[in-house]
Amino acid sequence: MKSLKGLGVALVTPFNEDLSVDFSSLTRLVEYNIANGCNFLVVLGTTAEAATLSKEEKKQVTEHIIKVNNGRLPLVLGIGGNNTAEVKKQIEETDLSAFEAVLSVSPYYNKPNQEGIYQHYRALAETGKQIIIYNVPGRTGQNVEASTTLRLAKDFTNLSIIKEAAPNIAQYFDILRKKPAGFSLLSGDDEFTLPVTLAGGSGVISVIGQAYPKQFSDMLKLAFERRVDDAYAIHNSLVEITRLIFAEGNPVGIKTVLAEMGLIKNVLRLPLVKASKDLEERIKAEMKNL
């Protein structure tokens, strides 16, 4: 497996005004991130509004990114859900030859207990594919506790990474402190990226990073070199814009930023709608500061 370290970005899916997928903007976005220091790309994550894409559109988006990337950066594919058997089947039936790993969110809505979460990932591990555990309680309604993550990490060598997005940073530190050798933690929270990386994390799967890949990847390089003050100077410059893009949900804010940069059109599919006028103005003002 190629290294999934440093800045990974969870790509948005750009749309045209008629809500069709905007492939030319997608090309521009991928090229922009490759040119500006991004280390790997995440395809069809939550940020991609994957829940609103048809099966055919998912296939087209995936194939397009593979083609544009042309082997330059490692790729990760999002395949998740709350029907374990169906997720397992999808992983088994998908051609993953272009991908280093599958990013699979813990089951949402059902709210399984910790044993249920363990058995879900155990079933996915049986596919033999590299699986990134993805814990995002704010979206799923259920936390994958550190003890469950550590149990999975010790029991299955192909569950070798977690994208951790728990709101409690102590949980990240507990995993980093007790994890087996060869298991890595990527921050799933942009604002926690630097402290988590300094504590032994391997980087981030970022949302804001696709708008500011140069700054974000520079910050991570400085963190890996233990140049803490320089890294924090970049971190501090990005805190406000990072908070603003999540103020009305993801990818509402990041699409506002990317549209203002001229990379995509500011179009979302229902049930998501564009940022409010007030938030849009605040985002634009902060972008001018940067």
Side-chain angles (χ1 to χ4, degrees):
M1 185 169 81
K2 284 185 202 157
S3 170
L4 298 174
K5 188 178 178 180
L7 173 63
V9 298
L11 294 166
V12 302
T13 304
F15 298 121
N16 293 303
E17 281 86 353
D18 65 0
L19 297 181
S20 62
V21 176
D22 179 357
F23 290 102
S24 59
S25 290
L26 186 55
T27 299
R28 197 159 44 239
L29 186 63
V30 171
E31 290 292 357
Y32 172 74
N33 274 277
I34 293 173
N36 286 286
C38 178
N39 300 112
F40 63 97
L41 302 171
V42 178
V43 182
L44 297 183
T46 319
T47 307
E49 292 173 80
T52 72
L53 297 174
S54 70
K55 197 174 173 183
E56 184 54 32
E57 285 171 330
K58 286 181 182 177
K59 185 170 176 281
Q60 289 169 348
V61 166
T62 302
E63 287 171 354
H64 188 79
I65 293 170
I66 290 169
K67 187 175 161 211
V68 174
N69 180 55
N70 195 22
R72 288 178 287 175
L73 293 184
L75 299 176
V76 170
L77 181 64
I79 304 177
N82 57 351
N83 174 348
T84 304
E86 181 57 32
V87 177
K88 186 179 180 182
K89 184 165 172 270
Q90 268 188 55
I91 292 170
E92 285 170 340
E93 291 177 357
T94 302
D95 175 7
L96 296 170
S97 55
F99 294 92
E100 299 308 312
V102 167
L103 176 67
S104 199
V105 70
S106 66
Y108 43 81
Y109 193 75
N110 312 33
K111 295 185 87 169
N113 64 13
Q114 295 304 304
E115 184 60 28
I117 292 168
Y118 174 87
Q119 293 298 339
H120 172 82
Y121 280 111
R122 178 185 179 161
L124 303 193
E126 286 168 1
T127 63
K129 307 296 183 187
Q130 287 292 334
I131 310 285
I132 300 172
I133 302 163
Y134 179 16
N135 181 36
V136 56
R139 283 189 181 272
T140 63
Q142 193 74 314
N143 182 35
V144 181
E145 291 170 10
S147 56
T148 303
T149 298
L150 293 164
R151 186 181 165 202
L152 288 164
K154 284 167 185 152
D155 290 353
F156 306 101
T157 54
N158 59 326
L159 300 180
S160 61
I161 304 174
I162 184 168
K163 177 186 175 185
E164 180 58 80
N168 173 14
I169 201 166
Q171 181 161 309
Y172 299 62
F173 296 151
D174 284 345
I175 295 166
L176 289 169
R177 206 159 37 88
K178 298 174 182 175
K179 71 181 182 65
F183 185 81
S184 64
L185 182 148
L186 294 165
S187 178
D189 184 313
D190 286 345
E191 203 176 327
F192 287 175
T193 301
L194 182 54
V196 166
T197 301
L198 290 170
S202 295
V204 65
I205 293 177
S206 175
V207 177
I208 194 63
Q210 71 196 294
Y212 298 100
K214 170 108 183 47
Q215 293 93 319
F216 227 85
S217 58
D218 284 352
M219 179 186 78
L220 283 163
K221 276 186 209 134
L222 291 166
F224 293 134
E225 291 166 9
R226 318 308 285 175
R227 291 168 59 190
V228 178
D229 292 347
D230 294 338
Y232 264 109
I234 299 174
H235 165 88
N236 289 334
S237 73
L238 292 170
V239 165
E240 285 307 321
I241 194 73
T242 301
R243 289 182 184 172
L244 284 170
I245 66 158
F246 293 111
E248 291 179 7
N250 182 39
V252 173
I254 189 63
K255 281 198 161 180
T256 307
V257 173
L258 294 170
E260 186 66 12
M261 288 178 160
L263 289 165
I264 68 166
K265 302 177 186 83
N266 192 9
V267 181
L268 297 106
R269 284 184 177 176
L270 288 170
L272 296 179
V273 294
K274 275 197 259 196
S276 63
K277 208 77 203 132
D278 172 60
L279 180 61
E280 192 180 345
E281 292 311 319
R282 285 160 63 206
I283 285 173
K284 286 178 183 176
E286 183 55 30
M287 286 176 76
K288 285 200 182 86
N289 288 341
L290 286 166

